[in-house]
Amino acid sequence: MTKPIWIKHAAQLVTLQHELAGPRIKEAMSHLAIIEDGSVWLEDGIIQAVGTTKELEETYTARSDEAEIVDATGHLVTPGLVDPHTHVAFGGSREREFEMRLEGATYMDIMNAGGGIHATTRMTRTATEDELVRQTTKRLDSFLAHGVTTVEGKSGYGLDLETELKQLRVMKRLQAEHPMDIVPTFMGAHAVPTEYKGREEEYVDLIINEMLPVVAKENLAKFNDVFCEVGVFTPEQSERILEAGKLHGLVPKIHADEIEPYQGAELAAKVGAVSAEHLLKASDEGIQAMAEQGVIACLLPATALYLRETAARGRVMIDAGVPVAISTDCNPGSSPTTSMPLVMNLACISMRLTPAESLCAATYNAACAIQMEDKVGSLEVGKQADIVLWSVQNYQELQYLFGVNHVQSVWKKGVKVVG
Ligand code: NIG
Ligand code: FE
């Protein structure tokens, strides 16, 4: 039994409590429900009480000897950050491509020449399961160090049944062995593997007829994601794959309108995707359709920066009523970072989210994008005790002092994992 933790006197305790359920839109994204001189009692891995220090003292002073007391005077306390879009379980690294892009090659040039996703696929295919666990553990540790306590993780560097399953099993193993919560997504449709070049439809059939049934039967994924992009999967192929996944109980997600406009946002609304990712080139009609269907826009400003592209129109999307989440997109090509605080800063700088919206997008709305909002993403009684203590005084300061890691301590399910 671990000791209860009693965090007291937080300058700002950002709870993100709200009477409305479901992803937050418009003004609700700015509703952080901050408690000044805030306090929270964590026990059995769960948040047992949230309120002002004075309120909690009425109940818990009698038990204060049992608990580890954390004095948060002058500090910001938030829910653990949630990263709803990562490709974290991959083999190897691609630093040479970074140089190639600076020399003028584009992301798609590199991929079409057999690099990019194909390069990581080769390295992931040859890595043993233990080796992938070892490499992924390092990245998960780095996520925790940056205040992230839940991540989504995609397969998609196998592009054959055996390796796709290996990636998903690595994530399942880490869900059991590592403090991080990892929510798995099947992404066999991340690229057409080089051995299927010219036979794209056969690969789509392989995903539908052979991969999806096994992934679902072994209960290895919750979501099914597709890279709908010019030269990768067409909207028609993407729709077939996502509809097939639905028949197996897998919820659709879609990498949409990243490099070229391709009606990806419209498709996300049509298939009832929980979220659409990237959306750099999403059309006005697509944004409107997403708002009408309540599809969450999962925006990845670090990827846009890294590829030297203009970021998605986050401000426009929020004003149009689309619920917005943000994410690192942690992957070895277009965004090799684990820093959600950096992503929060970039959401403000390059997409004109306010600091409050950015924090909501990295916590509660991010949890909604992976259907985990009943457990994580806000500080509410009964939810998991996933909490970050930051070495800043308020959430505005967290967003303003950029490029620095302000994490002081992190608790995952009530156990201190950082600091
Ligand atoms: O979300 N866009 C496609 N997939 C990833 C990049 C994967 C890679 O380059 O390895 C993304 O950016
Ligand atoms: Fe991605």
Side-chain angles (χ1 to χ4, degrees):
M1 261 335 252
T2 49
K3 262 186 158 187
I5 313 279
W6 190 4
I7 300 172
K8 300 174 80 170
H9 300 300
Q12 283 191 343
L13 183 76
V14 175
T15 69
L16 287 123
Q17 292 177 3
H18 202 295
E19 59 278 5
L20 295 176
R24 305 216 170 124
I25 60 169
K26 294 195 169 174
E27 292 76 31
M29 281 192 69
S30 306
H31 183 85
L32 300 182
I34 293 169
I35 300 174
E36 285 176 12
D37 193 3
S39 185
V40 52
W41 180 280
L42 316 177
E43 191 171 354
D44 300 331
I46 301 290
I47 297 168
Q48 307 287 350
V50 182
T52 62
T53 302
K54 199 160 172 285
E55 282 164 350
L56 264 70
E57 275 171 351
E58 286 166 20
T59 316
Y60 288 100
T61 301
R63 291 185 59 199
S64 60
D65 287 351
E66 286 173 47
E68 183 188 328
I69 310 248
V70 178
D71 181 4
T73 302
H75 290 82
L76 169 71
V77 174
T78 70
L81 304 179
V82 177
D83 190 335
H85 176 145
T86 87
H87 304 256
V88 68
F90 61 85
S93 148
R94 299 193 336 239
E95 60 277 2
R96 174 65 193 127
E97 288 180 13
F98 179 58
E99 288 178 324
M100 286 163 74
R101 279 201 304 279
L102 295 175
E103 288 157 8
T106 69
Y107 180 80
M108 289 311 268
D109 288 343
I110 294 170
M111 179 162 159
N112 291 334
I117 293 171
H118 301 299
T120 301
T121 298
R122 287 191 292 277
M123 292 185 270
T124 306
R125 284 179 178 177
T126 51
T128 63
E129 193 174 305
D130 285 344
E131 181 55 23
L132 283 180
V133 165
R134 201 185 59 75
Q135 294 186 26
T136 308
T137 297
K138 274 198 192 169
R139 298 175 198 125
L140 294 178
D141 290 345
S142 175
F143 269 117
L144 284 178
H146 288 88
V148 177
T149 48
T150 301
V151 299
E152 182 254 20
K154 301 176 195 296
S155 68
Y157 290 121
L159 312 181
D160 59 26
L161 179 62
E162 185 192 336
T163 317
E164 289 293 311
L165 293 178
K166 178 169 71 180
Q167 275 190 285
L168 292 168
R169 287 188 187 122
V170 162
M171 289 189 266
K172 190 171 184 175
R173 226 173 105 182
L174 285 164
Q175 171 65 27
E177 293 171 8
H178 195 278
M180 185 71 76
D181 271 312
I182 311 172
V183 180
T185 294
F186 169 66
M187 199 175 179
H190 196 193
V192 177
T194 44
E195 63 272 21
Y196 276 85
K197 204 170 164 53
R199 299 186 293 137
E200 287 76 12
E201 285 299 328
E202 280 179 51
Y203 184 63
V204 172
D205 290 339
L206 181 81
I207 292 173
I208 293 174
N209 300 325
E210 293 181 34
M211 294 189 186
L212 280 169
V214 182
V215 168
K217 187 161 167 270
E218 294 195 22
N219 201 14
L220 285 169
K222 182 167 172 179
F223 302 102
N224 179 28
D225 197 345
V226 177
F227 189 12
C228 178
E229 187 65 49
V230 175
V232 192
F233 294 96
T234 65
E236 293 72 26
Q237 291 167 336
S238 302
E239 185 173 351
R240 272 180 65 209
I241 293 166
L242 295 175
E243 287 296 342
K246 275 159 73 175
L247 296 176
H248 291 285
L250 298 178
V251 178
K253 282 182 173 280
I254 174 166
H255 280 59
D257 304 316
E258 177 183 356
I259 318 251
E260 308 224 20
Y262 209 23
Q263 305 272 302
E266 287 87 338
L267 179 61
K270 183 177 176 197
V271 300
V274 61
S275 64
E277 330 290 302
H278 290 285
L279 300 168
L280 269 53
K281 306 286 162 60
S283 70
D284 292 343
E285 296 75 23
I287 291 171
Q288 198 48 46
M290 284 178 59
E292 279 160 21
Q293 295 302 315
V295 180
I296 298 170
C298 184
L299 304 181
L300 316 167
T303 310
L305 177 74
Y306 208 72
L307 297 180
R308 290 181 299 135
E309 297 279 349
T310 303
R313 294 185 289 160
R315 177 78 267 139
V316 170
M317 293 180 199
I318 292 178
D319 293 343
V322 177
V324 167
I326 54 175
S327 155
T328 61
D329 190 19
C330 174
N331 76 72
S334 64
S335 188
T337 183
T338 49
S339 177
M340 276 297 278
L342 174 67
V343 170
M344 286 196 286
N345 304 137
L346 291 176
C348 297
I349 296 165
S350 59
M351 302 196 301
R352 292 183 46 227
L353 270 63
T354 65
E357 290 167 341
S358 170
L359 189 52
C360 173
T363 53
Y364 184 80
N365 272 9
C368 292
I370 50 173
Q371 298 183 334
M372 287 284 283
E373 71 273 23
D374 56 335
K375 293 196 179 75
V376 302
S378 61
L379 300 183
E380 295 178 75
V381 172
K383 279 196 168 184
Q384 279 181 200
D386 297 357
I387 297 200
V388 185
L389 172 67
W390 304 88
S391 60
V392 293
Q393 302 184 56
N394 53 54
Y395 75 90
Q396 293 95 330
E397 199 181 8
L398 176 66
Q399 310 274 359
Y400 149 78
L401 294 172
F402 94 119
V404 181
N405 189 1
H406 300 288
V407 169
Q408 187 161 314
S409 305
V410 179
W411 291 266
K412 179 65 188 174
K413 294 179 184 155
V415 176
K416 198 183 224 187
V417 288
V418 175

